Amino acid sequence: MSGSAREIVQFARDADSLSEGMSPEEVASAHDAVSVGGLVYPWGCQYPPRAVPEWREGFRVGLRGQDPESVLDAHQCILSMSEGWGNPRIEAAIRHFRERYQGVDMVDTSQLSPQAILLLKELKDLLNPYGDFRGLLASSGSLANNQAIALCMASLGGEERTQMVAMEGGYGGRDLATNAMLCTAPGWTGDTTLQSLAAKAIRVNRDGSNLDQALEQMRKAYTEGRSPLWHTEDGIQGVGGFHVYPPELMRALAEEVTRLHGKKIYDEVQTFVRNSAGPLGMDLWGDRNNPAHRPDAVTFAKGLGNGHGIGATMVSEDTLRAVAAGRKPGNTFDTFSQPLDGIVAARMVLRMVLEKEQWKNVAARSARFKRQTADFQKRYPDVVAEVVGTGGMVGLRLTSPAMAIRALTLAPQKGVIFAKGGKGDILRTSLPFSVTDAFVDELCGCLADVMQELQQASEKSA
């Protein structure tokens, strides 16, 4: 089992000590009785109905549906691991803080926390090359995106003056809950993706194939009094399957949104320095010195906390001044938005990122991953369709969703874990910011073991 997988197993075993001795069947039964998930399935029904937890060696490894196959989708674990689980520098900083401030875990938004203010200052300093920003913390990336959307929408004059622009398959915040009270347009509540806003949002195909049409729709909306509000994962799609947006597509959208006096939200929740070009994903596709490329809001989470819950919304001064001058509600917050373990972890992650310019490390190790997997499609033609992604957001697109399920089932036995993405056919194997050559070598070896066994099984059944 790889080091990362072993660390995650131990982490989960420690958490499992609070299970009060319940069997997997008892946990599943209780879940069905008391959880919303017992009736309304999460994540767009990616998992089969009545999926129940499966344990191996005391560790909940995934979900078992009505068929005998098991699914391990380690989305949160993998994408949150930026400096390695249990990183000694980060955990030592958290222990020191707990000893100094015993009994304090969460701070209400209305309270002032020195650690929170220092984190916001450090994020502001990080973003200085991209503009002048102020920050608002949250406990997750979804809430950070909600806050960014609410503030940018208010700066444009409210929902009736806003034209949402979303990327195909993109993830854009939990549910726009803050604005839901004011909104009567169908499709604006109760879903997890901006793609669900079909009644109002302009959807841009991630390959740019409908760019001209989307730009024309934006111009038409502007003549009708609605300015564009563009939310995008910054350069590389996350949940959608590590698709890399064409740089010319990103530049064209950014420039037109700016020309139409709109707002741009760049989501770094999964990307961040995994883009391999700089602190923001836009360093991969844009020019930080071009005002038309710069963001109006930036969101962070996941890797920022290295497994500890934290989210951050950074909003430009110009956007905030427009909110303050307007009459539309815009300020929003996550009540207990200052999770102190997450704040301390985030400050340490930022320090480590800047000390070693870790986007450069990600670039070098990503190239190593690409070299070692370049012939996978040729070696395993029944299994692998292509290697996807760039930087630290890399993985494999398999030949079918069914093949991906088989890979997810087999992977833990080979010492590796994946996050599923795309249309269910992509295995996301994101790299930590601090990834080493040894990590990449072991990861690629485990991947080869999984693909080889699946290829042999396919040939045998043919």
Side-chain angles (χ1 to χ4, degrees), residues 388-428:
V388 300
T390 193
M393 299 178 72
V394 287
L396 304 174
R397 183 169 68 84
L398 301 193
T399 51
S400 69
M403 188 64 75
I405 292 293
R406 296 188 189 104
L408 288 161
T409 303
L410 179 62
Q413 301 171 33
K414 303 296 184 181
V416 65
I417 53 178
F418 305 120
K420 183 157 61 70
K423 297 179 180 178
D425 57 350
I426 291 176
L427 303 180
R428 295 181 290 157

Side-chain angles (χ1 to χ4, degrees), residues 249-264:
L249 170 64
M250 299 294 285
R251 289 192 292 268
L253 286 166
E255 290 164 9
E256 188 65 8
V257 168
T258 302
R259 192 183 74 82
L260 297 175
H261 306 287
K263 296 295 178 180
K264 306 179 293 290

Side-chain angles (χ1 to χ4, degrees), residues 324-399:
R327 296 182 178 180
K328 295 291 183 181
N331 196 12
T332 176
F333 54 86
D334 175 11
T335 302
F336 286 100
S337 66
Q338 303 180 59
L340 295 179
D341 282 6
I343 289 171
V344 174
R347 295 190 64 205
M348 288 303 299
V349 168
L350 284 175
R351 184 175 301 178
M352 296 162 78
V353 162
L354 294 173
E355 279 176 357
K356 299 185 177 180
E357 297 184 321
Q358 287 184 322
W359 53 89
K360 297 179 180 178
N361 178 62
V362 169
R365 300 308 168 290
S366 176
R368 189 181 186 91
F369 176 92
K370 290 288 190 70
R371 288 194 298 271
Q372 295 191 34
T373 56
D375 64 348
F376 270 27
Q377 197 279 328
K378 183 177 180 180
R379 288 165 60 187
Y380 316 116
D382 296 347
V383 183
V384 179
E386 63 175 328
V387 179
V388 300
T390 193
M393 299 178 72
V394 287
L396 304 174
R397 183 169 68 84
L398 301 193
T399 51

